[in-house]
């Protein structure tokens, strides 16, 4: 048995002041205190540009990390088989084949890694 409750906490708010400035109020994640900064129009645009750039960088970094994550096989899932080098992020060392254990047998199959810089795939 569990008792659950969801709470919504506002992390940031944006308002326009009487002086036509953009007021950004942000909650400190540790102390919970609020801090307000007044920004001019150009500062606001600069902040928006920096946030969008950082967001794009974060998505790119996540995608690159996901491409290097080893593929895990669960039950009857059909997934790409990758070699040990690719699973460890050493794509340049891949020779293009992976070994798959099937009971007492070991089959050699093509490494199907799709990571950037991967040499094993033709």
């Amino acid at each position: 048995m569990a008792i659950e409750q969801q709470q919504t906490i506002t992390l940031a708010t944006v308002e326009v002041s009487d002086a036509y400035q953009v007021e950004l109020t942000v909650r400190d994640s540790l102390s919970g205190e609020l801090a307000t900064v007044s920004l001019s129009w150009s500062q606001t645009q600069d902040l928006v540009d920096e946030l969008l750039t950082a967001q794009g960088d974060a998505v790119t970094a996540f995608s690159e990390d996901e491409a290097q994550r080893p593929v895990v096989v669960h039950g009857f899932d059909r997934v790409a088989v990758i070699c040990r080098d690719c699973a460890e992020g050493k794509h340049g060392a891949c020779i293009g084949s992976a070994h798959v254990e099937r009971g007492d047998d070991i089959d050699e199959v093509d490494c199907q890694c799709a990571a950037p810089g991967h040499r094993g795939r033709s």
Side-chain angles (χ1 to χ4, degrees):
M1 178 177 181
I3 299 171
E4 298 178 2
Q5 177 181 3
Q6 287 186 334
Q7 292 181 329
T8 302
I9 299 173
T10 302
L11 301 176
T13 59
V14 178
E15 296 179 6
V16 178
S17 72
D18 293 339
Y20 307 107
Q21 295 257 324
V22 175
E23 291 185 343
L24 172 64
T25 302
V26 180
R27 180 180 306 277
D28 184 292
S29 61
L30 296 176
S31 69
E33 294 182 22
L34 299 175
T36 301
V37 178
S38 292
L39 303 169
S40 68
W41 300 345
S42 63
Q43 289 172 322
T44 303
Q45 187 60 55
D46 291 344
L47 177 59
V48 168
D49 293 343
E50 286 191 38
L51 287 170
L52 289 173
T53 299
Q55 185 263 348
D57 292 346
V59 169
T60 300
F62 177 79
S63 297
E64 290 172 356
D65 286 349
E66 283 295 303
Q68 292 180 9
R69 184 169 291 171
V71 176
V72 179
V73 178
H74 296 285
F76 295 102
D77 292 348
R78 289 188 65 193
V79 296
V81 177
I82 61 173
C83 69
R84 182 177 184 175
D85 289 324
C86 291
E88 294 174 356
K90 302 173 192 170
H91 302 288
C94 176
I95 60 170
S97 62
H99 297 95
V100 178
E101 292 183 34
R102 295 196 169 108
D104 293 336
D105 297 328
I106 297 177
D107 293 340
E108 186 172 346
V109 297
D110 290 337
C111 178
Q112 299 172 3
C113 178
H118 179 72
R119 287 193 329 190
R121 209 169 213 195
S122 53

